[in-house]
């Protein structure tokens, strides 16, 4: 019998993910705080319910896709929270991007209540969520991973078991630290190349086929021209918004602080994106950080 899934958080990512679960034949009980999100979910075949607890009580699996760790922990706890409402032994899939220590805390709450849980953050953005092509990084017990895999394959195309509880969030934060730093490195190289009289196309043609090659260059190129589909060709409309990169690097900075790892570039990238996202950069693609580098260079 197909499983019933409680889906909590029907925003930019949750909405298309819930739609894909319905398309895969699951009964999806949806809840969000925003009425417009509920209207969209209803139109997509989700059974909208009045509270998260009502969804959790009737479900085999509870999937959360919420903004941040504090929202997840708040939704989980309390007399009317998801944990109290769910049937004993319910599998919780936590797909929001949250701090590694919050993922551990969420997992401990679930275990203490007799439930099971995995962290399963996603990569691929709204486009990936719509196309069911997300990459999903899972932390948790093998048996729970196996049970969740079938569900996750309905919303993503690559589901990777990274290790025990928290390992999915750890993989996510490390990957996005690479991305944040590499976008700055690529942007600095283009600005230096411009100052040295090099065309952007010439630098691209060399670096894309040499040791400077990376996703930030060849897929999300921060200058218009060489990669026609990159956000730079579309006034830096996201894509992956600066606010989300600032959030993810904030989680990386928190993990660096907690582990004592000396990541000079990860820490500096966090500062730069935090400043970038405190202005218009919040709503621009994160590759627009190149404009900050240009402005700083004129001084
Ligand atoms: P969003 O803000 O669009 O959606 C979150 C939804 O959660 C909102 O609709 C909000 O009303 C709802 N919500 C908040 N508290 C709630 C509660 N207590 N009960 C029910 N609903 C509640 O955010 P998003 O872009 O969908 O991102 C969700 C998560 O996925 C975030 O952690 C984000 O970092 C991560 N993520 C986002 C992207 C992206 O490109 N947008 C990519 C990868 C990962």
């Amino acid at each position: 019998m197909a499983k019933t899934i409680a889906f909590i958080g029907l925003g930019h990512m949750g909405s298309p993910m819930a739609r894909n679960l319905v398309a895969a034949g699951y009964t999806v009980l949806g809840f969000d705080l925003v009425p417009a999100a509920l209207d969209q979910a209803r139109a997509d075949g989700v059974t909208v319910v009045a509270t998260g607890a009502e969804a959790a009580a009737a479900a085999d699996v509870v999937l959360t896709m919420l903004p941040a760790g504090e929202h997840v922990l708040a939704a989980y706890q309390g007399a009317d929270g998801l944990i109290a409402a769910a049937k004993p032994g319910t599998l919780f899939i936590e797909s929001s991007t949250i701090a590694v220590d919050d993922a551990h805390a969420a997992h401990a709450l679930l275990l203490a209540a007799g439930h099971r849980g995995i962290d399963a953050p996603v990569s691929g953005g709204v486009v990936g969520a719509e196309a069911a092509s997300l990459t999903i990084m899972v932390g948790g017990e093998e048996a729970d991973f196996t049970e969740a895999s079938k569900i996750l394959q309905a919303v993503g195309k690559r589901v990777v078991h990274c290790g025990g509880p928290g390992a999915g969030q750890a993989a996510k934060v490390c990957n996005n630290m690479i991305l944040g730093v590499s976008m700055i490195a690529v942007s600095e190289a283009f600005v230096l190349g411009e100052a040295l009289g090099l065309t952007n196309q010439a630098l691209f043609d060399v670096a894309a086929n040499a040791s400077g090659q990376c996703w930030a260059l060849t897929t999300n190129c921060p200058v218009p021209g060489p990669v026609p589909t990159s956000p730079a060709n579309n006034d830096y409309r996201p894509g992956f918004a600066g606010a989300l990169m600032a959030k993810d690097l904030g989680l990386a900075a928190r993990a660096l602080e907690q582990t004592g790892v000396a990541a000079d570039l990860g820490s500096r990238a966090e500062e730069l994106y935090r400043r970038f996202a405190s202005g218009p950069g919040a709503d621009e693609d994160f590759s627009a950080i190149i404009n900050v580098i240009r402005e700083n260079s004129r001084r």
Side-chain angles (χ1 to χ4, degrees), residues 18-258:
R19 180 162 63 238
N20 287 328
L21 289 171
V22 170
Y26 292 102
T27 299
V28 180
L29 308 177
F31 176 67
D32 195 289
L33 302 174
V34 176
L38 297 177
D39 291 344
Q40 179 63 52
R42 219 176 265 116
D44 290 339
V46 171
T47 304
V48 169
V49 295
T51 63
E54 186 181 335
D60 306 303
V61 171
V62 177
L63 198 159
T64 40
M65 196 59 179
L66 298 169
E70 72 230 48
H71 304 93
V72 174
L73 292 171
Y76 271 17
Q77 295 179 86
D80 53 358
L82 302 173
I83 286 179
K87 290 177 275 195
T90 295
L91 177 62
F92 282 65
I93 300 176
E94 211 305 281
S95 280
S96 329
T97 302
I98 69 175
V100 177
D101 58 316
D102 280 343
H104 284 295
H107 188 256
L109 289 170
L110 293 171
L111 283 198
H115 297 309
R116 298 169 296 135
I118 59 169
D119 46 299
V122 307
S123 178
V126 174
V127 171
E130 281 170 351
S133 64
L134 296 168
T135 294
I136 307 177
M137 297 143 262
V138 179
E141 302 301 331
E142 184 72 42
D144 298 334
F145 167 74
T146 304
E147 186 176 333
S149 284
K150 195 157 174 269
I151 294 169
L152 293 175
Q153 271 153 12
V155 296
K157 80 166 181 248
R158 193 168 310 142
V159 185
V160 183
H161 190 195
C162 300
Q169 295 293 355
K172 169 87 183 170
V173 87
C174 291
N175 177 71
N176 281 22
M177 193 171 78
I178 296 173
L179 178 60
V181 170
S182 60
M183 182 55 81
I184 291 172
V186 168
S187 297
E188 288 181 349
F190 273 115
V191 175
L192 177 60
E194 287 165 7
L196 294 173
L198 207 54
T199 65
N200 290 331
Q201 189 65 49
L203 176 56
F204 178 87
D205 288 344
V206 171
N209 295 292
S211 45
Q213 191 277 331
C214 62
W215 189 92
L217 177 74
T218 56
T219 300
N220 216 75
C221 189
V223 294
V227 180
T229 50
S230 79
N233 299 280
N234 192 18
D235 283 335
Y236 295 96
R237 292 237 303 278
F240 188 55
L244 287 171
M245 178 51 87
K247 175 199 163 183
D248 289 359
L249 285 176
L251 298 177
R254 182 163 153 180
L256 290 171
E257 170 72 25
Q258 287 167 351

